[in-house]
Amino acid sequence: MSAVGPLISAEALAGRLGDDALVMIDCRHDLARPDAGEAAWAESHIPGALFMHLDRDLSSVKTGSNGRHPLPSPAAFTALLGRCGITPQHTVVAYDDAGGMFAARLWWMLRWVGHADAAVLDGGLAAWRAAGGALDQTVRSRPATRYPVGAVETTLDADALMANLDSAALLVVDARAPDRFRGENETLDPVGGHIPGAVNRFFKLNLTDDGRFKPADVLRAEWCAIANGRDPATLVMQCGSGVTACHNLLALELAGLSGARLYPGSWSEWCSDPARPVAR
């Protein structure tokens, strides 16, 4: 079984429930209440879905200088996949209740370690409910596997960005809300502002009013306007902590503009070093 591109509709997912080749992962999270997503999953979820926690499973240990959601090592992440019984042959569908805000992080991480058959549920739980999808407390038990650690996609770090601040070689795209990009109303990080030279593309602009992703041709037109003729490989996605930046990477994939890279540490890592410049 294969997912249709990086998105799957609620109707298509409903037709695949019970398939041994399908693994669903609930990624619900609340930045202000880190236990809320797992509690919601325990109460009810798409039948058979497992849960992955943004802080515990999709991030590594914070040091104070590596951002709020540092990436785990590829070995640690693939070990997690193995404990969940996931193999490279499985179709993995991630969902949340926030327009893909957290599910896109898992989608990108799967792609990061070479897992091609991954998708996000378009519209998340709201779309599932609207399509008449059931929720219950069942969890599909799977025997543990050994997920192979292979080549991973390239990311960029703070040093690489510092080296290119005055260069046209890279364009940084910040997925945070416009006020935070401007350095206003910052509540999550100790310093407000953005990386000098970055442009702003709030991740919610990838969505329609009902929380689904915009059509591919609309996304392509909007992102081509941002890229302004650039090769997508010169684009670097960042946000506050490397989470919603993945939403923009998913939108670029939908738009047929593959090749952009992630700065995992994002603003929370960048602003932890006072030697790094800040723009407002």
Side-chain angles (χ1 to χ4, degrees):
M1 183 182 72
S2 176
V4 181
L7 289 182
I8 186 169
S9 70
E11 293 78 9
L13 180 60
R16 297 178 176 182
L17 287 187
D19 192 312
D20 286 339
L22 173 70
V23 181
M24 293 174 293
I25 307 293
D26 190 317
C27 298
R28 281 178 283 178
H29 191 74
D30 186 330
L31 293 173
R33 297 182 300 130
D35 296 330
E38 190 166 18
W41 167 80
E43 182 176 334
S44 66
H45 48 257
I46 297 177
L50 305 176
F51 181 79
M52 287 188 184
H53 196 286
L54 176 62
D55 297 332
R56 184 179 65 238
D57 299 318
L58 305 182
S59 304
S60 65
V61 177
K62 294 182 285 187
T63 65
S65 61
N66 62 351
R68 285 184 281 107
H69 294 107
L71 281 179
S73 69
F77 179 56
T78 52
L80 168 67
L81 297 179
R83 292 194 299 273
C84 292
I86 297 171
T87 71
Q89 288 70 48
H90 280 111
T91 294
V92 181
V93 174
Y95 71 86
D96 59 31
D97 59 357
M101 175 179 178
F102 304 108
R105 165 82 165 205
L106 175 57
W107 169 83
W108 180 86
M109 289 178 66
L110 287 162
R111 296 286 294 267
W112 175 53
V113 297
H115 192 102
D117 203 358
V120 168
L121 174 59
D122 196 17
L125 274 180
W128 179 256
R129 292 190 183 99
L135 299 174
D136 64 24
Q137 295 179 331
T138 62
V139 178
R140 189 144 186 192
S141 177
R142 297 178 181 276
T145 67
R146 288 183 61 86
Y147 197 103
V149 181
V152 297
E153 288 190 9
T154 303
T155 59
L156 269 80
D157 60 18
D159 290 341
L161 291 185
M162 277 288 288
N164 284 278
L165 278 185
D166 297 323
S167 166
L170 300 175
L171 177 64
V172 177
V173 182
D174 190 323
R176 293 176 299 162
D179 58 339
R180 291 184 64 208
F181 177 78
R182 293 191 299 264
E184 304 164 2
N185 306 318
E186 181 58 67
T187 59
L188 295 173
D189 294 308
V191 179
H194 60 264
I195 297 172
V199 298
N200 187 213
R201 165 72 177 192
F202 188 26
F203 78 95
K204 289 185 178 181
L205 293 176
N206 298 320
L207 304 173
T208 59
D209 291 341
D210 66 357
R212 291 177 171 85
F213 277 81
K214 293 176 178 176
D217 59 338
V218 174
L219 288 171
R220 185 176 182 87
E222 293 177 356
W223 277 97
C224 282
I226 294 168
N228 194 25
R230 284 178 164 272
D231 184 329
T234 67
L235 303 179
V236 180
M237 300 297 118
Q238 58 100 177
C239 55
S241 63
V243 177
T244 57
C246 297
H247 200 280
N248 278 351
L249 286 162
L250 176 54
L252 282 164
E253 190 75 15
L254 287 168
L257 300 170
S258 302
R261 288 169 287 176
L262 176 69
Y263 168 33
S266 286
W267 179 250
S268 56
E269 178 187 66
W270 184 269
C271 73
S272 69
D273 185 345
R276 297 185 188 122
V278 172
R280 295 184 179 89

